[in-house]
Amino acid sequence: MKILFLGDIVAKSGRTVVLEELPSLRRDLKLDFVIANAENAAHGFGVTDKICIQLYKAGVDVITGGNHSWDKPEIIPYIAQEQRLLRPLNYPETTPGRGVGTFNDGSGRKVKVVNIMTRLFMELLDDPFTALSRELPPGTPKSAGFEAIIVDIHGEATSEKMALGHVADGHASLVVGTHTHVPTADTQILVGGTGFHTDAGMCGDYDSVIGMHKEASIANFRRKFPRERLTPAVGEATLCGTYIETDPTTGLAARIEQVRLGGRLQRQLPEL
Ligand SMILES: [Fe+2]
Ligand SMILES: [Fe+2]
């Protein structure tokens, strides 16, 4: 199975590159399933139902979130009823929405998607290690009836994300990080067969500070008062993500590649 995971879509620039490029990527790479993190899709903060619908139409199957999932309050009734929109699993039980789902690809194959948030330099949520372990099968994805299991680890600390990757090794197809908005160069297949990438990077304008207007962000680092309101950078975005092919006998990763397309970052696409 060929799967693409897209990192945090940031504001209009990020949405534009995804809406313009994903239909042809889906066709050219023969993708079976696409997941995108959209916690920053609405002007950098949160996501709306209208944006989710645009992303589904462009070829996204499932949308994940993070600490910014709640920035647009109108998402709350939508996330409560839309199965294809996830938020981190380890929020308190009363939080609207869900952190895990099982979906079918176009051929009826089952794909499980899990969205977890870390705790170092983040909000204090329930233990992500326990939350993740509960969702993993004792054996491979295939042994539990899944063609693939994809885990979005939303977090700041590379150490915590790598540790969670090792916890899932042998049981998930892909563990991929989001939230830092910078792609890391460590795509690998872990010893037990799980594809791992510490951070997929953002789909956004890299002439910025993690997708935000650079002057305002620099000003906030230089002086603490008065604070500038951060607004998204509006230049051409780079689409950033992680591509995997699964082994049909196990559901583990047979191949993992970075994807970078458009904008300022070096282009990188899987060779067919
Ligand atoms: Fe983000
Ligand atoms: Fe985040």
Side-chain angles (χ1 to χ4, degrees), residues 9 39 47 60 188 202 208 216 221 226 233 252:
I9 299 169
E39 67 151 3
V47 62
V60 173
Q188 61 168 315
M202 68 171 169
S208 70
F221 279 111
L252 295 169

Side-chain angles (χ1 to χ4, degrees), residues 2 24-33 243 272:
K2 297 181 171 71
S24 51
L25 273 179
R26 199 160 173 144
R27 188 181 57 240
D28 297 347
L29 297 176
K30 299 185 172 60
L31 299 172
D32 299 300
F33 205 81
Y243 167 87
L272 291 175

Side-chain angles (χ1 to χ4, degrees), residues 8 39-40 154 179 181:
D8 307 42
E39 67 151 3
N40 309 105
H154 195 78
H179 176 76
H181 293 198

Side-chain angles (χ1 to χ4, degrees), residues 21-269:
E21 298 292 348
L22 185 58
S24 51
L25 273 179
R26 199 160 173 144
R27 188 181 57 240
D28 297 347
L29 297 176
K30 299 185 172 60
L31 299 172
D32 299 300
F33 205 81
V34 176
I35 301 149
N37 186 298
E39 67 151 3
N40 309 105
H43 207 60
F45 301 94
V47 62
T48 64
D49 52 350
K50 194 173 145 239
I51 290 172
C52 289
I53 291 161
Q54 284 178 335
L55 293 171
Y56 298 138
K57 276 193 186 149
V60 173
D61 295 291
V62 175
I63 296 171
T64 55
N67 53 309
H68 286 294
S69 283
W70 319 107
D71 291 354
K72 297 278 181 285
E74 64 261 39
I75 202 63
I76 291 169
Y78 185 72
I79 202 170
Q81 52 89 21
E82 175 52 68
Q83 308 287 325
R84 294 173 293 172
L85 175 61
L86 301 179
R87 46 83 173 160
L89 177 66
N90 48 329
Y91 269 86
E93 262 177 38
T94 50
T95 311
R98 58 205 65 71
V100 60
T102 298
F103 309 90
N104 290 322
D105 80 342
S107 313
R109 293 175 293 187
K110 276 165 67 180
V111 178
K112 181 172 180 171
V113 183
V114 186
N115 191 182
I116 296 276
M117 198 153 103
T118 61
R119 293 193 291 192
L120 280 175
F121 316 118
M122 306 285 284
E123 286 173 72
L124 273 178
L125 297 180
D126 291 345
D127 173 17
F129 289 84
T130 304
L132 175 59
S133 297
R134 259 193 228 119
E135 296 302 329
L136 296 171
T140 62
K142 208 61 193 274
S143 72
F146 299 103
E147 200 67 27
I149 299 177
I150 310 296
V151 184
D152 172 354
I153 300 284
H154 195 78
E156 191 72 41
T158 50
S159 56
E160 198 176 7
K161 289 153 99 173
M162 288 185 84
L164 284 159
H166 291 300
V167 164
D169 189 18
H171 310 291
S173 316
L174 171 68
V175 175
V176 56
T178 54
H179 176 76
T180 72
H181 293 198
V182 178
T184 57
D186 63 335
T187 41
Q188 61 168 315
I189 297 174
L190 301 175
V191 293
T194 293
F196 179 76
H197 191 185
T198 298
D199 205 298
M202 68 171 169
C203 298
D205 176 9
Y206 280 78
D207 181 22
S208 70
V209 175
I210 63 168
M212 293 290 141
H213 202 259
K214 57 190 176 185
E215 280 79 14
S217 182
I218 294 165
N220 285 346
F221 279 111
R222 291 179 82 110
R223 55 172 166 70
K224 294 298 165 192
F225 179 86
R227 298 282 297 176
E228 301 254 353
R229 214 178 115 244
L230 293 179
T231 53
V234 297
E236 191 191 337
T238 305
L239 177 148
C240 283
T242 316
Y243 167 87
I244 63 157
E245 289 175 17
T246 60
D247 177 336
T249 58
T250 60
L252 295 169
R255 180 180 173 197
I256 182 164
E257 305 259 358
Q258 289 188 52
V259 174
R260 293 187 300 272
L261 182 61
R264 303 183 63 79
L265 297 197
Q266 197 175 25
R267 182 185 171 95
Q268 171 79 42
L269 281 174

